[in-house]
Amino acid sequence: MATFKEFRNNVKPNWCPGCGDFSIQAAIQRAAANVGLEPEQLAVVSGIGCSGRISGYINAYGFHGIHGRALPIAQGVKLANRELTVIASGGDGDGFAIGMGHTVHAIRRNLNITYIVMDNQIYGLTKGQTSPRSAEGFKTKSTPEGSIESTLSPLEIAMSAGATFVAQSFSSDLKQLTSLIEQGIKHEGFSLINVFSPCVTFNKINTYDWFKENIVNLEQFPDYDPSNRMLAMNKIMETNSMLTGLIYQNTSRKSYEDLITGFKQEALAKQDVMITSGEFDKL
Ligand code: SF4
Ligand code: MG
């Protein structure tokens, strides 16, 4: 069985020292090993942004897609090879701005994919502009007088879109994050894991200390029941979306793959042979 070290490759990440994304990479590698995967059983698909580099830093199948399009690619990978465990990842700008249409529909479609958002509440790769996750009043080069737009809550949107697995974590809490990724991989459907991942270079407001002061860990509520949708919505709103832990899980709804009728894996394998032999016209 592969250890987490076998999910490492020899590419050195070029994230800034201290970037939260390092821990997310480590958590994915640990979770993959903990659930018993081999590198060839995992595909990591990413979008564009500092976070998008992650698919190149993990020893597994990888696809670095285009801006906001990690989820369409990830869904295609999963439908083409259902034996693969598919993780999609990207930043808050990638998934909640240009990619938001895909995010909402991937949530309601409920393919068996884990989507990890590296949420630093800013655009890092383009050197610090306001993102949909930035707070009102947040000053950047794109909003020198402070953002006048409301902050988007991915947790509320996911819940209202019919999500079957909603979790949130903090890159500094490697134990919780690893456990949530493991649970997300095992969940038979679409799992959204939003991860607070500080951008130490451009976001001087939402720092590690700021998150530590503002996060509300669900461990504080031992009676919390993640299968209760109304309770989850209430808690998200009560905490201004700063909740961490497994917020909601619905295990009764079948995944998209399980609901497709007439699909046969053998037929897909046969089609693959035909395509590689260049017989498109016979399809
Ligand atoms: Fe991380 Fe920010 Fe540096 Fe990008 S710019 S690598 S998000 S610290
Ligand atoms: Mg970002």
Side-chain angles (χ1 to χ4, degrees):
M1 207 164 74
T3 67
F4 73 89
K5 288 184 182 165
E6 286 165 71
F7 288 90
R8 289 181 185 160
N9 60 22
N10 56 10
V11 183
K12 194 169 175 288
N14 64 351
W15 291 314
C16 309
C19 177
D21 296 356
F22 284 101
S23 303
I24 298 173
Q25 179 194 344
I28 292 173
Q29 289 162 327
R30 281 171 166 72
N34 291 350
V35 299
L37 290 173
E38 300 293 332
E40 64 272 18
Q41 295 174 311
L42 174 66
V44 180
V45 178
S46 60
I48 295 289
C50 296
S51 55
R53 298 172 183 144
I54 197 162
S55 55
Y57 299 156
I58 293 176
N59 183 34
Y61 291 113
F63 195 115
H64 193 168
I66 54 172
H67 202 201
R69 310 293 178 240
L71 284 173
I73 297 162
Q75 289 171 93
V77 169
K78 184 67 183 177
L79 284 174
N81 185 352
R82 296 168 193 210
E83 305 298 314
L84 278 176
T85 291
V86 178
I87 291 178
S89 64
D92 48 318
D94 192 61
F96 303 145
I98 187 170
M100 185 45 114
H102 296 302
T103 301
V104 168
H105 293 290
I107 288 170
R108 51 179 284 275
R109 195 166 293 129
N110 200 36
L111 260 88
N112 192 1
I113 288 172
T114 301
Y115 183 34
I116 300 170
V117 181
M118 298 141 100
D119 178 4
N120 54 17
Q121 316 201 340
I122 200 165
Y123 284 88
L125 187 69
T126 47
K127 301 190 184 299
Q129 295 83 20
T130 294
S131 89
R133 290 285 297 132
S134 303
E136 286 183 61
F138 190 69
K139 289 188 180 173
T140 63
K141 290 165 208 158
S142 62
T143 51
E145 295 180 12
S147 172
I148 53 173
E149 297 178 10
S150 66
T151 309
L152 186 143
S153 166
L155 305 181
E156 287 179 38
I157 287 176
M159 291 300 299
S160 60
T164 57
F165 185 107
V166 179
Q168 187 158 260
S169 192
F170 179 33
S171 64
S172 270
D173 192 344
L174 192 60
K175 189 164 165 252
Q176 182 199 55
L177 178 56
T178 304
S179 164
L180 288 172
I181 296 173
E182 287 175 42
Q183 292 174 69
I185 290 173
K186 288 179 189 162
H187 177 70
E188 296 284 333
F190 190 92
S191 44
L192 170 72
I193 307 174
N194 192 60
V195 188
F196 298 131
S197 179
C199 171
V200 293
T201 302
F202 295 109
N203 190 336
K204 304 295 184 189
I205 304 291
N206 308 111
T207 60
Y208 284 94
D209 286 343
W210 185 90
F211 281 113
K212 278 177 197 153
E213 278 166 27
N214 287 280
I215 278 171
V216 181
N217 193 322
L218 270 172
E219 284 174 7
Q220 294 173 33
F221 311 103
D223 295 333
Y224 185 80
D225 174 9
S227 70
N228 185 330
R229 191 162 183 245
M230 188 66 87
L231 181 63
M233 275 302 254
N234 280 338
K235 262 295 177 255
I236 290 168
M237 294 177 94
E238 266 171 38
T239 59
N240 197 23
S241 296
M242 292 304 294
L243 208 53
T244 61
L246 175 58
I247 297 165
Y248 180 68
Q249 185 171 22
N250 174 356
T251 53
S252 61
R253 188 171 155 211
K254 286 186 173 172
S255 70
Y256 183 87
E257 301 95 299
D258 285 344
L259 289 170
I260 297 175
T261 53
F263 171 81
K264 290 199 172 54
Q265 187 77 40
E266 311 82 62
L268 197 63
K270 193 172 161 218
Q271 190 181 53
D272 186 44
V273 171
M274 289 168 75
I275 290 170
T276 50
S277 63
E279 297 180 354
F280 279 102
D281 49 345
K282 290 186 187 168
L283 292 177

